[in-house]
Amino acid sequence: MATVFKKPHALKDLSLHYCPGCTHGIIHRIVAEVIDELGIEGTTIGVSPVGCAYNNYEYFHVDMVQAAHGRAPAVATGIKRVHPDNFVFTYQGDGDLAAIGTAEIIHAATRGEKITTIFVNNAIYGMTSGQMAPTTLLNQVTTTSPFGRKPEIHGFPIKVCELLSQLEGAAYVERTSVHDVKNIRNTKEAIKKAFKVQEANKGFSIVEVLSTCPTNWGLNPVDALKWLETNMLPFYPLGNFKGKDLEV
Amino acid sequence: MAEKLLMKGNEVIAEAALRAGCRHYFGYPITPQTEVAHYMAKAMPKINGTFVQAESEVAAINMVYGAAAAGARVLTSSSSPGVSLKQEGISYIAGAELPAVMVNIVRCGPGLGGILPAQCDYFQSVKGGGHGDYKNVVLAPSSVQELYELTVEAFNISDKYRILTIILGDGMLGQMMEAVEFKDKEEIYQDDKKWACTGTKMERESNDITSIYIQPEVLENHNLKLQAKYKKIEENETRVESYNCENADIIVTAYGTVARIVKNVIKMAEKEGIKVGLIRPISLWPFPTAEFEKYAETPKAFLSVELSAGQMVEDVRLAVNGKRPVHFYGRMGGMVPSQKEILDKIKEILNK
Ligand SMILES: Cc1ncc(C[n+]2csc(CCOP(=O)(O)OP(=O)(O)O)c2C)c(N)n1
Ligand code: SF4
């Protein structure tokens, strides 16, 4: 019988620990498929974050280094400077990247560090049970913004792609989503391009992927996808912010 | 032929690291150690190495973490407030068992303090500083020559045990110029680094570097393994110099710059018929407890002289274990005790 669907080789044959309906799993699969399709499993080194994906080093068939909260871009810098010919990627949540690790991501991008960041934006802290993230939407209820995020109290959500695309060292900046099949495909194309930008030594590349957290949003998986579409898309416009026409 | 050069302490650290095969440096400027970075910024591009001025000490130590995980010999240097920022990364390096070398050219604190020499980071260096049950090897040179030799050794110790080794100097040592004799060739410990993240090349299972162990049994075992390693280091890597301790009236203990002053005090005291010994810990961790035990019943008393409010004196007390009184004399804020001050303190203790 012909095999029509199987796990990508770069993803180990393990069951992932994410909550039902969480789109971290989809993003993992996409990263692994891209690694397979580019044939770069043997030369890729990944950096795991702190957050729900903290132990994704166990899932990928590539060498992985687990980093402190927010520090993945600095760790990746160290790795890339030692192995400039390898592919180095970080996988980071919004709390990780846009709160505690803001300096690290901005400066890795500024230096034009030849790494690729997969930035999973679910508008909340997942692992520590639903606190407000820098990306939490206005009026969004979280455990630390129980009456909704109010700009006068909590400030405004950070738009990471808009911010990073201003930096000269950032070569490729794109925001995608995984709330339906079409967008999952787009995400894959974007991540593939981001790795190619790295291969071509063009500079820093990042793909922000809008993702769901059904558990902490208090929604079932299907409603969570709808919530993302209805609430996140208007505030976080999808598309390319930089490097669309880069020849790689 | 061995090469003898007149060099500044901080520059010697950088040169020693290069001779020890270090090709990656990550740091952030802070007085009084910045010449290490200046030297590396010049040297590294010429030998295809890496010099990165990080955006902060937090980033610098995490770059070190990444480079060490990738299998490199890697150096960072800083001074007290910078080292405080590095503590997060240091704890992770300990947890993930990565080899690296960090230089702390200590300045006086607390807070922003001042830029003059001090030894007030002893506790932070030898007792942890970051979170968790861990140790770093801490080496305390007292001359520019020793800065060179111990920097080379620091890389070897780090690779041998997969541990962070700290060179703990002070502003005086970092800034002073002295003649230093370089060897033609360094002995370099070779680790195959099979554990490192270099890409699987599709030839082996993937390597993971981590410090997170959610299962309590697994984490306890990891901790037990670390502790066993620390014990082995205590057995093999303790370094100490003792001088004039047989029949000493009093044994002074001091490390780094201060130990040099004490050596002159010994000569002054001799003229007055007082026999002063010196125990100079070279490794602050592992602490040379056995050396203190050996001489614990020789002198009337011990005296720890430090550029702090009294930090190493606690380890001296533990080592002497109540067998003799242990006194303390220290200066702070960048003040360095004169020979006469120390001699006066000795006389006061001996009632002379
Ligand atoms: C220094 C530090 N501070 C706080 C934490 C606790 N912590 C763990 S995960 C997390 C939030 C992660 O959120 P995010 O990056 O958005 O990832 P998600 O869990 O949503 O995937 C926090 C605050 C930590 N591990 N380390
Ligand atoms: S807490 Fe949220 S982000 Fe974390 S695994 Fe569960 S659904 Fe996913």
Side-chain angles (χ1 to χ4, degrees):
Chain A
M1 213 161 47
T3 307
V4 291
F5 195 72
K6 63 175 177 114
K7 273 202 168 170
H9 187 265
L11 205 57
K12 289 184 185 161
D13 193 13
L14 298 166
S15 46
L16 309 187
H17 70 283
Y18 301 104
C19 307
C22 174
T23 41
H24 262 307
I26 295 175
I27 302 165
H28 280 38
R29 184 178 169 101
I30 291 172
V31 172
E33 281 181 1
V34 167
I35 290 173
D36 275 13
E37 286 170 26
L38 294 176
I40 58 172
E41 187 183 303
T43 48
T44 297
I45 304 169
V47 184
S48 313
V50 162
C52 282
Y54 77 91
N55 63 340
N56 69 1
Y57 56 85
E58 289 176 3
Y59 300 149
F60 291 105
H61 238 136
V62 306
D63 281 359
M64 298 280 291
V65 183
Q66 208 287 326
H69 203 28
R71 316 298 178 218
V75 173
T77 298
I79 299 170
K80 186 72 182 189
R81 296 297 180 120
V82 174
H83 299 300
D85 296 332
N86 285 34
F87 288 85
V88 178
F89 75 91
T90 72
Y91 186 105
Q92 301 178 259
D94 42 35
D96 187 87
L97 180 142
I100 198 165
T102 321
E104 282 77 7
I105 196 68
I106 286 188
H107 286 275
T110 300
R111 284 191 302 271
E113 217 55 71
K114 287 149 196 87
I115 60 172
T116 298
T117 291
I118 316 297
F119 170 42
V120 179
N121 178 358
N122 55 15
I124 206 158
Y125 285 8
M127 191 189 196
T128 42
S129 66
Q131 295 86 2
M132 185 179 67
T135 47
T136 292
L137 298 171
L138 292 180
N139 297 318
Q140 187 182 336
V141 172
T142 73
T143 48
T144 51
S145 57
F147 309 108
R149 181 178 193 155
K150 304 277 178 263
E152 61 277 17
I153 301 171
H154 307 105
F156 296 88
I158 293 186
K159 292 181 173 177
V160 168
C161 284
E162 285 80 344
L163 189 70
L164 293 185
S165 59
Q166 303 304 311
L167 306 172
E168 277 171 63
Y172 180 74
V173 182
E174 179 136 344
R175 184 182 290 123
T176 66
S177 172
V178 285
H179 68 279
D180 62 21
V181 174
K182 175 171 149 267
N183 280 287
I184 290 173
R185 288 218 176 98
N186 290 347
T187 300
K188 184 166 163 187
E189 282 318 302
I191 291 178
K192 199 179 238 176
K193 173 115 182 196
F195 273 101
K196 284 185 179 166
V197 166
Q198 179 177 172
E199 186 175 31
N201 262 326
K202 300 281 185 193
F204 175 77
S205 56
I206 180 168
V207 180
E208 171 175 345
V209 185
L210 302 185
S211 182
T212 63
C213 180
T215 301
N216 288 300
W217 293 354
L219 297 171
N220 69 41
V222 175
D223 288 344
L225 293 171
K226 280 189 207 135
W227 191 90
L228 186 165
E229 193 177 0
T230 319
N231 297 283
M232 289 181 77
L233 291 191
F235 189 78
Y236 294 116
L238 303 184
N240 183 273
F241 290 83
K242 203 167 180 187
K244 189 178 172 51
D245 302 322
L246 268 187
E247 295 283 337
V248 287
Chain B
M1 215 185 62
E3 199 182 357
K4 198 164 188 174
L5 297 169
L6 182 68
M7 281 178 84
K8 197 175 196 177
N10 285 334
E11 294 176 343
V12 166
I13 294 170
E15 179 59 31
L18 296 174
R19 286 172 186 248
C22 166
R23 292 293 174 271
H24 301 274
Y25 173 91
F26 306 93
Y28 189 82
I30 183 169
T31 309
Q33 63 75 45
T34 309
E35 292 87 355
V36 182
H38 297 175
Y39 200 92
M40 288 304 197
K42 255 193 200 165
M44 284 301 194
K46 295 181 192 155
I47 51 172
N48 221 356
T50 300
F51 166 85
V52 179
Q53 181 171 323
E55 61 271 30
S56 68
E57 288 84 354
V58 177
I61 194 72
N62 281 285
M63 290 173 189
V64 167
Y65 177 96
R73 281 204 149 178
V74 52
L75 177 75
T76 186
S77 60
S78 193
S79 180
S80 312
V83 171
S84 292
L85 280 180
K86 287 185 199 279
Q87 291 302 333
E88 174 198 66
I90 291 171
S91 171
Y92 275 74
I93 285 171
E97 293 196 87
L98 292 174
V101 177
M102 179 184 77
V103 175
N104 182 3
I105 298 297
V106 181
R107 56 191 257 181
C108 37
L112 211 39
I115 58 169
L116 291 172
Q119 296 180 320
C120 49
D121 296 356
Y122 179 93
F123 281 152
Q124 190 193 47
S125 313
V126 307
K127 308 287 180 194
H131 55 287
D133 273 318
Y134 75 90
K135 295 283 183 192
N136 301 310
V137 174
V138 184
L139 303 178
S142 82
S143 66
V144 175
Q145 180 70 33
E146 246 186 16
L147 268 183
Y148 154 55
E149 287 163 11
L150 291 179
T151 301
V152 175
E153 278 198 55
F155 280 99
N156 287 338
I157 292 172
S158 289
D159 268 352
K160 206 163 170 179
Y161 301 95
R162 291 177 60 184
I163 194 166
L164 181 78
T165 301
I166 298 175
I167 300 287
L168 195 74
D170 61 59
M172 183 98 83
L173 202 56
Q175 295 296 324
M176 90 176 35
M177 276 186 106
E178 274 184 324
V180 49
E181 197 171 323
F182 290 100
K183 284 187 206 148
D184 291 335
K185 199 169 179 299
E186 302 307 331
E187 268 177 45
I188 293 179
Y189 177 84
Q190 298 291 352
D191 176 18
D192 58 20
K193 305 224 174 186
K194 281 197 177 137
W195 49 267
C197 288
T198 53
T200 64
K201 301 184 180 66
M202 308 302 274
E203 286 165 359
R204 57 159 168 79
E205 273 304 298
S206 54
N207 284 340
D208 302 326
I209 305 276
T210 185
S211 65
I212 187 165
Y213 302 92
I214 292 285
Q215 300 285 344
E217 301 85 353
V218 180
L219 182 52
E220 186 173 54
N221 278 333
H222 175 61
N223 269 284
L224 289 170
K225 187 178 139 218
L226 290 179
Q227 294 303 321
K229 170 166 93 176
Y230 299 150
K231 191 156 183 294
K232 209 161 129 200
I233 295 173
E234 279 176 343
E235 283 160 12
N236 298 326
E237 306 298 341
T238 304
R239 286 162 170 73
V240 62
E241 178 197 20
S242 39
Y243 181 73
N244 219 27
C245 286
E246 286 80 17
N247 312 316
D249 300 314
I250 183 164
I251 293 180
V252 178
T253 171
Y255 67 95
T257 305
V258 185
R260 296 165 70 120
I261 304 173
V262 173
K263 282 189 182 168
N264 289 331
V265 172
I266 291 173
K267 287 181 208 145
M268 282 170 74
E270 230 157 37
K271 288 188 192 136
E272 302 193 25
I274 307 170
K275 193 167 179 223
V276 178
L278 169 69
I279 297 183
R280 175 172 75 94
I282 298 172
S283 56
L284 299 181
W285 191 86
F287 193 70
T289 305
E291 196 69 7
F292 285 91
E293 282 168 355
K294 188 167 142 196
Y295 293 111
E297 291 178 38
T298 305
K300 291 200 182 72
F302 285 81
L303 168 65
S304 186
V305 185
E306 302 173 41
L307 304 182
S308 79
Q311 301 194 11
M312 184 175 75
V313 65
E314 295 193 3
D315 285 333
V316 176
R317 286 208 176 101
L318 285 172
V320 171
N321 202 11
K323 290 184 181 139
R324 289 291 182 272
V326 177
H327 299 265
F328 171 73
Y329 185 71
R331 298 292 304 263
M332 287 176 280
M335 297 298 294
V336 178
S338 69
Q339 296 164 30
K340 183 173 177 304
E341 267 172 75
I342 298 172
L343 185 59
D344 285 348
K345 181 72 189 176
I346 288 170
K347 287 184 192 164
E348 181 195 312
I349 294 166
L350 297 176
N351 281 324
K352 289 207 172 171

